[in-house]
Amino acid sequence: MQPLNLNEIIEGCQSNDRDCQKALYDKYAATMLGVCQRFARHNQEAEDMLHDGFIQVFENIDQYNRLGSFGSWVRRLMINTCLNHIRRFSYQKELIGIEEMQMARVDPEVMQQFSEKELLKMIDKLPLGYKHVFNLYAIEGYNHREIAAMLGIEEGTSRSQLLKARKLLKKFISNALSTLI
Amino acid sequence: MKEKNLIDRLFKEKLYNYRAEHPEHVWDGIEKTLSDLEKTSSGTKWMLMGFWGAVVTLTIGGIFWYFSFGSPNPNLSPEDSSIALDKKTKQKASSSNSILSEKQMASDISTALSANVDEAMSTSSAQIEKDNSSLRTNSTVNRISKSGSDLSPMNGKTNMVHTNQIDQTIEASNNTSNVSLKKNNTNDLPTKDTETYYYNESGKRIATSSSLHQDVSPNNDGINLLRSDFSILSSTPSKFISFRLPKSYYKGDPDDCMEMIEKPFRRQYIELLSGPVKANRLFYSTDSTLQNNVINRSQSEKVKNAYFIGLRYVWNLNRDVALKTGITFTKINEKMTYQDGFNVVVETNKAGDTVRITRDPRFKIKDNYYSFVDLPITLSYTWRKNKFFFDFNSGLNLNLYAHQTGFFYDLYNTDKTVTAFDASEVYPFKHFAGISLLMSGTIGYYLGYNTSMFFEPGVRYFTTTLSSKDYPIKQKYVNYRMSIGVRYQFTKK
């Protein structure tokens, strides 16, 4: 059987064709799980987010207007699902690191040596607020106004949390490098 | 390159397209959820289709029924009434000479004449002569005579101008008083006219039957004389589509005075009703990127109270079907809970060093008010049992004016005062909330001849969004209400 192209898969999903839904899932699940892992506290939660996100995709696929990239549309929906998940199971208490961070400058070439999993672990170690702001700003490319709207915080808070997230990540990178050396 | 950009770039390059290994069981869960959702949505769809199908069928059926079968007796079609009458009158004549039989017969004969005129019209130029000997009681003469001829230019249609005169006299004797009543010297006695009109398909009146009821009993407590005149008014008779009952008729039992009953339809009522409303608001957006805002908006909302008050006019189209309209005012007072930053708690040790900082969301509560002025238009069907009545009402609610004051979440999740909304932005709400669908049931109790009280649970579904066209977050209401009211009949007795 000839593999379906993306348009055929989308049309099939709009008709609730289970094979097409599976094909869409296979195409995007790995990348989207990577997105979810950056927002989740643990792997189980990331899988829950992936599940909910794909349900949202299949439920709302009629609304995809084909003007932008389908991958970006799925990604945006997945991020919204992650944020809803966070809000639904709202993390009432959040630990915020306050210690002063003294770090050496980090060499860009050395930084490239880190694997994706190592970087993911560093993001995981961030306090939740920092983690979400950093994910949305640095990796997903949202601006502070959008992040403030998405997370229900002030723009200033978003800026401040991003700054602190960067400082903490630099510290984690420095620590990892010193261990390596 | 700045160090902050380096960090951002490093993470973006490595993680933006990072593909994690996804376990197969996630798809199994998705597949199961999709199957469940399909079952649920299918069931809901059928339920909704069934519900609105029933509403539409009842409404259309009610209208069709009213305009097609405005029969004098709701249980008899015009064609059936003469047959039913024959049976009735025979029974009456053979059972007794009681005044009730005579009086009932008088009423029945009036109906019989109506039915027979129909028959005469439909049989064109036929000559009909009936001698209903079964109607003879004591000295009663009961003769129905009709004649007609086709005067149309084509001699093919019944379009005659003709007048039938039918005179009947019923002289009744009252067993208990054994007094013979005469139809003469009635000039000084109370009289009651009844009229029956006949209409053709275009609604033009083509025939009139008038009857003179005269009370010649010693105590003026009964009707025992009836004279009916029929006249065909139109030159173009065609199939009758409607009968009308006389304006009044009489009934009673032999031991009591006769009671005059007004025609049981075309009554008019005025109703005052009020009650609490449970207002459910549905938020949605066609823009999937605003899902968070939609969730924020719906989660922030706590309806505090809602009520409505209305004045309604009820016009009985016939005995069982009524048109209800009027004006209602609905007010919904909401409490909106917004997250307003965080409460930060700093914990220190004995030495005064900060060990950790925790934060909890901080909330603030705002009020939000919605007002609606509406014009309801419903058709109702009535069932009656002793002193109780039950109306099933369905129809439309036309919004005349909608207004909101208070606060709401804007697209950036900040609370906005509606009255101070920035003129440069899209105003989020309409002043006309469109048409809503209404359905309710009225359970009423007659307190007296003119007055009754009732309970009326109902539901109102807004068919259109309350948000303005360009505002991306849409909202609809579904209102459930329980009214209590009083009804006053203001038609003359």
Side-chain angles (χ1 to χ4, degrees), chain A residues 78-181:
Chain A
M78 197 63 66
I79 290 170
N80 282 333
T81 308
C82 292
L83 296 176
N84 290 342
H85 203 279
I86 290 162
R87 190 172 292 106
R88 201 168 356 132
F89 303 101
S90 56
Y91 314 137
Q92 292 292 321
K93 306 266 184 186
E94 183 185 335
L95 189 65
I96 303 172
I98 53 159
E99 57 187 296
E100 278 298 310
M101 292 163 281
Q102 300 293 333
M103 290 163 290
R105 280 188 66 83
V106 181
D107 185 345
E109 286 182 12
V110 177
M111 281 165 60
Q112 290 293 338
Q113 295 171 7
F114 289 109
S115 70
E116 287 90 344
K117 284 191 177 171
E118 285 170 322
L119 293 178
L120 266 178
K121 275 184 186 169
M122 289 179 196
I123 288 181
D124 253 359
K125 289 194 312 197
L126 289 174
L128 290 172
Y130 298 0
K131 177 173 159 176
H132 301 325
V133 171
F134 184 79
N135 269 330
L136 291 169
Y137 186 93
I139 301 176
E140 300 298 340
Y142 288 94
N143 63 36
H144 284 297
R145 190 174 189 187
E146 289 167 324
I147 294 169
M150 291 164 97
L151 296 177
I153 57 176
E154 299 293 323
E155 278 185 55
T157 311
S158 173
R159 286 199 176 85
S160 136
Q161 292 198 340
L162 178 68
L163 203 66
K164 289 172 183 169
R166 282 189 187 128
K167 280 184 180 174
L168 271 176
L169 287 171
K170 264 197 290 185
K171 183 191 169 194
F172 298 151
I173 290 170
S174 302
N175 290 345
L177 287 175
S178 61
T179 313
L180 284 174
I181 293 165

Side-chain angles (χ1 to χ4, degrees), chain B residues 311-313 324-328 374-377:
Chain B
L311 191 65
R312 207 160 56 181
Y313 167 72
K324 296 183 178 181
T325 185
I327 193 156
T328 60
D374 301 294
L375 176 77
I377 303 169

